[in-house]
Amino acid sequence: MLATMAAALLALSSTITPHSWPQNPPPDKIIIDVATVNGTGCPPDTAAVSVSADNTAFTVTYSQYTAQVGVGAQPTDFRKNCQIGLRVHVPQGFTYGIASADYRGFGHLENGAYGVERANYYFQGNSPTAYATHRLDGFYDNDWQFSDSTDIDAIIYEPCGQERNLNINTELRAYAGTSDPAKTTSFLTMDSTDGSVQTVYHFAWKTCPETR
């Protein structure tokens, strides 16, 4: 089972302003349990989940999530993926959706090579949302960050009074393109050895109607 991070570093930028989605999170501590984890990018015990102290976001940190192509890479290493099923325990009277997500990592792409990061998330029983896809072109050798946001009216909330798993799918791909994979190596990673590279999901909160 996945470990639980003790704290979250949330000094990440977003593509939307802090007050452009519903706020007023519940005051009680939010607990997230990892129900399932599958994928080549997140072998057992290589990912961790933590909730921010103010209940506005949660983070996922990976330690073995690298897609690579070229020297030293296996044929299947060009694509890595991870699906995590989370059970978010929400205080009575509240429900949540995902307003935005920040993905961070490091990339080294030779001239002519390129990499792809894509992700989606959805509640158990709902149809998956469309993947948000981002591309990096070589030459590139630096940190990367992509942010996906959802319009307020388009945020999908967990049904009030129900607990459904939140499924998060992420994927990294590295392509040789016109570079020479016999002489070079290109990669994209979301790895973190010190907790500094994190995927951050920002909650959107709302209150549920009272039941009689």
Side-chain angles (χ1 to χ4, degrees), residues 6 12-13 49 77 84 103 109 147-148 166 169:
L12 298 180
S13 64
V49 179
D77 287 344
I84 297 179
Y103 301 91
L109 301 169
S147 295
D148 301 327
L166 173 65
N169 298 308

Side-chain angles (χ1 to χ4, degrees), residues 19-34:
H19 298 292
S20 59
W21 64 81
Q23 295 294 307
N24 300 318
D28 297 336
K29 181 176 176 58
I30 304 302
I31 298 174
I32 297 181
D33 293 328
V34 178

Side-chain angles (χ1 to χ4, degrees), residues 12-135:
L12 298 180
S13 64
S14 176
T15 56
I16 51 181
T17 60
H19 298 292
S20 59
W21 64 81
Q23 295 294 307
N24 300 318
D28 297 336
K29 181 176 176 58
I30 304 302
I31 298 174
I32 297 181
D33 293 328
V34 178
T36 60
V37 56
N38 293 286
T40 54
C42 52
D45 300 320
T46 64
V49 179
S50 177
V51 183
S52 65
D54 60 3
N55 290 337
T56 62
F58 68 92
T59 65
V60 181
T61 306
Y62 305 95
S63 61
Q64 291 187 26
Y65 203 156
T66 300
Q68 60 180 340
V69 64
V71 178
Q74 298 298 316
T76 57
D77 287 344
F78 82 98
R79 176 185 179 272
K80 293 298 176 76
N81 73 294
C82 183
Q83 176 171 305
I84 297 179
L86 302 177
R87 180 62 59 88
V88 181
H89 299 281
V90 178
Q92 186 174 3
F94 288 87
T95 187
Y96 76 96
I98 301 300
S100 66
D102 301 318
Y103 301 91
R104 299 180 67 203
F106 182 83
H108 174 84
L109 301 169
E110 296 289 335
N111 283 319
Y114 64 98
V116 172
E117 179 272 331
R118 68 177 197 155
N120 73 351
Y121 33 88
Y122 60 96
F123 288 107
Q124 180 182 9
N126 289 4
S127 299
T129 59
Y131 274 95
T133 302
H134 304 276
R135 172 169 165 158

Side-chain angles (χ1 to χ4, degrees), residues 109-115 135-140 175-180 184 186:
L109 301 169
E110 296 289 335
N111 283 319
Y114 64 98
R135 172 169 165 158
L136 279 175
D137 290 290
F139 182 80
Y140 190 91
Y175 293 98
T178 58
S179 68
D180 187 353
T184 63
S186 296

